[in-house]
Amino acid sequence: MTDQSDWTGMPGSAEASGDEQRRRGVRVVGDFYRALQAKDIDAFGRLWTADAVYRIPVTPDGVPGEFAGRDTIVAGLGQFFGFFGETRLTWDAEPMGDPNKTLATWTLEIDMLAGGTYRNRGVALFRLEGERIAEFTEHVDTAAFLGIFSAKAATARRFFALLHDKDIDAWGELWHESGVITMPYAPEGFPSLIEGKDKIVAAYRDLFPAYETFDTELTGVLPAVGSDAVSVEYRVRAKLADGAEYSNDHVAVLRFEDGLISAYHDYFDPRRFQDVIDALGDPAAGTD
């Protein structure tokens, strides 16, 4: 990483002002990448002018190539932070002939909270106004960039894998505290609406003793373009505790907040699911 002390100007000359701005640019670039590495959204936000522009000229389909305004930029990046675990960044900053511009090359490696590691590298051009970023243009490996947008799909897959394992504790950690489950066609004896992480986890603790085995086949995991939704088409094949076989076909929609599941809408044949509820006896009485 280039340090501001690496650039020396000629005090008292006309160029000294430009040299000082170049040193300032290198310093701001360092602050930029340190804020990303620390996931410090407040420090990140302080680096931008109010009307700043963030450009990514080449993006995957459905991903905006430009964000205008500090608030929009900060909100957009904050959504990504919800998926990030440990973040490792290296960078090098190089002053340009125009003292208000600084070039940076970087590499990163992020442990995704949904599992897996996201790696990328790229080049960015910063244009400053004083000590704030007014324009930012970045080129990245777009194929690798898709890894971030697949994080929600990975969470959806983990959602069903943990149900297969009947690991309700780990499954519960995927939920936002204010999460909601909606089952528009719930059978008699099972609620059509469950609000709050604690109640959701408790309901599934009561439900899963009905299953001896619980297998799902995901036939479609489809992240929406331009929203936080993931649609999942899946089939359930299970053996109930009483020895009966259970199967059903589902379409579910998951939505996210802060990288966690905030809403789950599940559509299925309630007549088949009634067999599961009947196997529990009286769920409202807490039958295991």
Side-chain angles (χ1 to χ4, degrees), residues 64-83:
E66 181 174 307
F67 298 90
R70 176 175 55 213
D71 293 346
T72 301
I73 293 167
V74 171
L77 192 75
Q79 293 182 14
F80 292 138
F81 281 173
F83 302 118

Side-chain angles (χ1 to χ4, degrees), residues 128-237:
L128 273 62
E129 291 181 0
E131 296 188 358
R132 298 289 182 269
I133 302 167
E135 292 183 24
F136 174 83
T137 303
E138 184 173 56
H139 291 264
V140 303
D141 180 343
T142 54
F145 190 46
L146 283 169
I148 293 179
F149 294 91
S150 66
K152 293 169 186 172
T155 298
R157 291 187 175 92
R158 181 166 170 76
F159 178 97
F160 292 101
L162 291 172
L163 290 180
H164 166 80
D165 295 340
K166 296 195 281 187
D167 188 345
I168 303 302
D169 288 338
W171 181 82
E173 293 306 309
L174 300 178
W175 283 90
H176 193 277
E177 291 295 333
S178 59
V180 176
I181 287 181
T182 303
M183 295 184 179
Y185 309 118
E188 183 179 352
F190 197 81
S192 60
L193 179 68
I194 310 174
E195 297 181 281
K197 173 181 174 178
D198 291 345
K199 290 183 178 179
I200 289 169
V201 171
Y204 272 66
R205 286 193 196 285
D206 288 342
L207 173 64
F208 262 69
Y211 298 110
E212 181 176 323
T213 63
F214 186 86
D215 296 313
T216 55
E217 178 189 357
L218 307 189
T219 56
V221 180
L222 309 170
V225 173
S227 85
D228 64 353
V230 175
S231 174
V232 181
E233 299 173 358
Y234 68 101
R235 298 188 181 99
V236 173
R237 300 289 183 268

Side-chain angles (χ1 to χ4, degrees), residues 9-63:
M10 297 174 60
S13 72
E15 292 186 13
S17 174
D19 290 340
E20 175 57 33
Q21 180 62 16
R22 291 182 179 96
R23 287 193 292 270
R24 182 180 295 162
V26 170
R27 184 174 65 249
V28 170
V29 168
D31 291 343
F32 175 92
Y33 289 112
R34 279 187 286 271
L36 291 181
Q37 185 158 262
K39 296 186 291 182
D40 187 338
I41 197 67
D42 292 331
F44 179 81
R46 289 192 293 268
L47 296 172
W48 300 86
T49 64
D51 58 352
V53 178
Y54 188 131
R55 297 187 179 94
I56 307 175
V58 181
T59 63
D61 291 342
V63 179

